Amino acid sequence: MMGLPNLQIALDNSILSEALSSVLAVGHEVDIIEAGTILCLAEGMEAVRCLRALYPEKIILADTKCADAGGTVARNCADAGADWMTVICSATIPTMKAAMKEVRDLQVELYGDWTFEHALAWKEAGLSQVIYHQSRDALLAGETWGEKDLNKIRKLVEMGFKVSVTGGLEVDTLALFKGIDVYTFIAGRGIREAADPAQAAREFKAEIARIWGN
């Protein structure tokens, strides 16, 4: 039986005060709060520290897309209060293993020319989470979610991964994934920039419950 997918808010603000304003409007409605890559680069681990202070009971993710120095980066994230951290799929297995020792869980960000052979190596190394993207740049170029994406997600689930999905998600998009055991839906601007972000998050959650709750 499929579980109910989580809802994650991605804080891709460039300024910490704006990120905190965004999360205060919606943090209580979501399952996972992400300090986005842009925010981590602009404001460092202070962003994670602030999110942890505001939401001690939530899963906090540092979206570092780490490519190297996995142990050091992960230790910094954990010390700031992050539960999870991301690594880029092109990082080496030793980098991923070093990071895994320092945080509660690690997610592999799937960008570019990754293969299922790579995925098998991650699984054998002990990784259990991946994030499947439609990147912002691809979406701006007019690409949309299609069967090619869904088939890759299905295969990753069959391999035993917890698969999170992100990239231009709206409430209406969720039905595309019906029948797939998605672990987490990650929304950013679709929630943050809504007229009522909390209501937008509730609508996401309601649609998730409608599709996966039976």
Side-chain angles (χ1 to χ4, degrees):
M1 182 177 172
M2 294 183 191
L4 208 62
N6 298 303
L7 179 62
Q8 176 174 321
I9 181 70
L11 300 170
D12 281 318
N13 313 72
S14 297
I15 299 170
L16 180 55
S17 57
E18 292 179 359
L20 297 180
S21 179
S22 291
V23 78
L24 285 170
V26 75
H28 55 290
E29 298 287 351
V30 301
D31 304 299
I32 302 164
I33 299 172
E34 170 195 331
T37 309
I38 292 167
L39 183 60
C40 287
L41 287 170
E43 300 279 8
M45 289 298 100
E46 185 63 16
V48 174
R49 282 188 283 272
C50 289
L51 294 175
R52 173 52 69 210
L54 286 171
Y55 296 98
E57 77 291 356
K58 298 285 185 182
I59 294 170
I60 305 294
L61 167 68
D63 185 16
T64 58
K65 295 185 176 66
C66 179
D68 197 8
T72 302
V73 174
R75 199 174 313 116
N76 290 342
C77 291
D79 288 348
D83 301 292
W84 299 351
M85 186 187 97
T86 63
V87 292
I88 196 72
C89 57
S90 55
T92 64
I93 295 293
T95 291
M96 294 180 183
K97 283 186 171 180
M100 271 196 298
K101 292 177 182 176
E102 304 293 339
V103 288
R104 265 180 48 195
D105 213 347
L106 194 66
Q107 296 178 310
V108 182
E109 298 255 12
L110 304 181
Y111 278 109
D113 297 325
W114 64 275
T115 67
F116 287 104
E117 287 75 21
H118 292 134
L120 185 60
W122 305 329
K123 201 82 180 65
E124 290 172 347
L127 285 102
S128 62
Q129 291 203 53
V130 297
I131 303 174
Y132 190 93
H133 280 265
Q134 276 279 26
S135 76
R136 180 180 296 187
D137 294 334
L139 291 164
L140 289 172
E143 294 184 28
T144 56
W145 290 97
E147 200 60 32
K148 174 184 68 174
D149 302 299
L150 300 178
N151 285 335
K152 287 181 180 178
I153 293 167
R154 288 186 189 101
K155 183 164 181 178
L156 289 163
V157 171
E158 287 167 8
M159 291 177 73
F161 285 105
K162 298 174 181 174
V163 183
S164 296
V165 171
T166 188
L169 293 178
E170 305 285 348
V171 172
D172 295 346
T173 321
L174 300 181
L176 292 173
F177 301 90
K178 185 175 183 179
I180 302 175
D181 193 7
V182 174
Y183 184 58
T184 301
F185 286 107
I186 307 169
R189 287 162 295 166
I191 291 177
R192 289 198 330 268
E193 296 179 4
D196 184 340
Q199 178 60 27
R202 285 191 290 269
E203 289 171 3
F204 267 91
K205 295 281 276 189
E207 184 69 350
I208 288 170
R210 184 186 73 80
I211 296 170
W212 282 271
N214 297 324

